[in-house]
Amino acid sequence: MLFESICRSSCLCWSLGDAFDVRLRRHITFAKRVDKPFSLIYSDKYKVPNSVCESTPSKLSTYRILEPGMILLEKYVSIKDQIDIIYECEKWAKSGFFNHCDHQNGAKCKVMNMCFGRNWDPNTGYKERYRSDGSEPPPIPYELVSLVKAAVQDAQAILKDLPSMHPDICSVNYYPANGFLHLHQDRDESSDSLRRGLPVVSISIGECATFLYGDTRINKKLKRIFLYSGDVLIFGGKSRLIYHRVKQISQYTSPVQLVTEFGLRNDRLSLTFRQF
């Protein structure tokens, strides 16, 4: 009896230890790599703008309707506003808020990410309220909220069925020259947000990105567009759950003013806004 009790105790200890080890490995797989502060711009070109997004487009830029509920507003964000946005992100990059989010399968991600409004990462979604350092993400600057709402309203003048949205999450991705994103859907938001088709709004700054999208996971059947600096891509309604990916970044395609006057590196920023 004593031997059986010892065996059962040993098995229990092994099981608990094994379970803990599995949880630990899972935690390590999901963890963000801790990265050092870095700069989005060359230091000798650094200039401080007066404010964030002081201006908005005086008239609607050219646009392309891509799908029902999906539209591309071309060159929508002015150079002035792009510089203001870069400066806002630069403050947090130099404070160490950007991290690499590695994939569940252990693959290393070249893209760096930070969030305004809510904490989010591609592996755990919105489950963790706090960042890995214990801090909460900073609030979305109200100027950015106003810019996004203006873009949605302009898009609604063209797409009558596009729902309104109030962004409470902004995911900022920093793409180096060799950066890309795998095919995915933006579906971590609440069931109510997804059911209503509240749109995703993405602002591109810097180098041009090759963007693939469609209603299938088959790469050969995906459609392709190019996202240039200042473009705003909106997809909601029937297109809210499209599959999409960033295939590659094209170097030396940034607006001259961002590189020569402000010193932006030859990389890309994207700011993606959603309502949880």
Side-chain angles (χ1 to χ4, degrees):
M1 292 293 294
L2 178 60
F3 178 76
E4 291 179 357
S5 299
I6 293 174
C7 287
R8 283 196 296 269
S9 298
S10 299
C11 290
L12 178 60
C13 291
W14 180 88
S15 299
L16 290 174
D18 184 68
F20 175 78
D21 183 59
V22 170
R23 288 197 299 271
L24 180 60
R25 288 199 302 270
R26 185 181 298 123
H27 174 72
I28 292 173
T29 301
F30 286 164
K32 293 183 178 181
R33 275 185 280 162
V34 178
D35 295 285
K36 296 180 180 179
F38 73 106
S39 179
L40 304 173
I41 58 182
Y42 296 108
S43 58
D44 60 339
K45 293 286 187 180
Y46 189 74
K47 298 178 182 179
V48 179
N50 294 325
S51 64
V52 179
C53 295
E54 187 177 76
S55 59
T56 54
S58 57
K59 60 180 180 179
L60 184 60
S61 59
T62 57
Y63 63 87
R64 293 171 57 190
I65 299 176
L66 305 175
E67 300 287 344
M70 185 175 185
I71 188 170
L72 175 63
L73 306 180
E74 298 174 318
K75 303 294 187 293
Y76 185 84
V77 183
S78 68
I79 293 295
K80 166 67 169 61
D81 283 355
Q82 291 180 53
I83 291 175
D84 289 348
I85 292 171
I86 295 168
Y87 170 63
E88 182 68 20
C89 295
E90 168 74 359
K91 292 191 301 184
W92 300 104
K94 295 181 75 172
S95 299
F97 267 66
F98 279 81
N99 290 290
H100 286 94
C101 292
D102 295 337
H103 301 286
Q104 295 182 21
N105 61 8
K108 303 300 181 182
C109 183
K110 296 181 174 65
V111 176
M112 300 181 72
N113 172 271
M114 73 156 287
C115 289
F116 292 102
R118 288 175 178 263
N119 189 43
W120 174 88
D121 77 57
N123 293 320
T124 60
Y126 298 101
K127 292 181 180 179
E128 301 295 335
R129 176 180 175 181
Y130 299 100
R131 291 166 26 86
S132 56
D133 63 0
S135 65
E136 290 187 327
I140 306 176
Y142 73 90
E143 297 92 345
L144 287 177
V145 173
S146 298
L147 179 61
V148 169
K149 285 188 171 183
V152 171
Q153 289 175 359
D154 284 337
Q156 287 173 325
I158 305 163
L159 302 177
K160 303 301 182 181
D161 296 331
L162 185 69
S164 299
M165 64 93 84
H166 180 85
D168 56 10
I169 166 72
C170 172
S171 176
V172 185
N173 281 345
Y174 170 76
Y175 294 79
N178 60 349
F180 63 91
L181 276 186
H182 293 287
L183 192 68
H184 66 283
Q185 293 173 299
D186 289 2
R187 58 183 311 153
D188 290 333
E189 288 65 51
S190 67
S191 57
D192 180 65
S193 180
L194 298 178
R195 178 183 57 80
R196 294 163 60 193
L198 303 188
V200 174
V201 179
S202 181
I203 298 174
S204 295
I205 296 177
E207 304 286 38
C208 172
T210 302
F211 184 84
L212 306 183
Y213 69 94
D215 58 1
T216 175
R217 297 185 65 91
I218 302 174
N219 274 289
K220 292 182 179 180
K221 295 185 178 181
L222 297 175
K223 299 178 182 179
R224 181 184 68 175
I225 58 173
F226 298 102
L227 299 179
Y228 291 94
S229 195
D231 286 353
V232 176
L233 178 66
I234 301 174
F235 52 95
K238 295 180 180 179
S239 293
R240 176 59 178 81
L241 292 177
I242 61 163
Y243 290 97
H244 56 283
R245 63 172 295 201
V246 173
K247 182 179 180 180
Q248 65 182 32
I249 307 300
S250 300
Q251 285 194 288
Y252 312 115
T253 54
S254 295
V256 174
Q257 300 96 316
L258 297 186
V259 178
T260 60
E261 296 180 20
F262 193 64
L264 178 68
R265 297 182 184 277
N266 297 118
D267 301 318
R268 176 180 185 259
L269 276 177
S270 72
L271 291 83
T272 301
F273 299 82
R274 312 180 190 95
Q275 179 177 331
F276 182 78

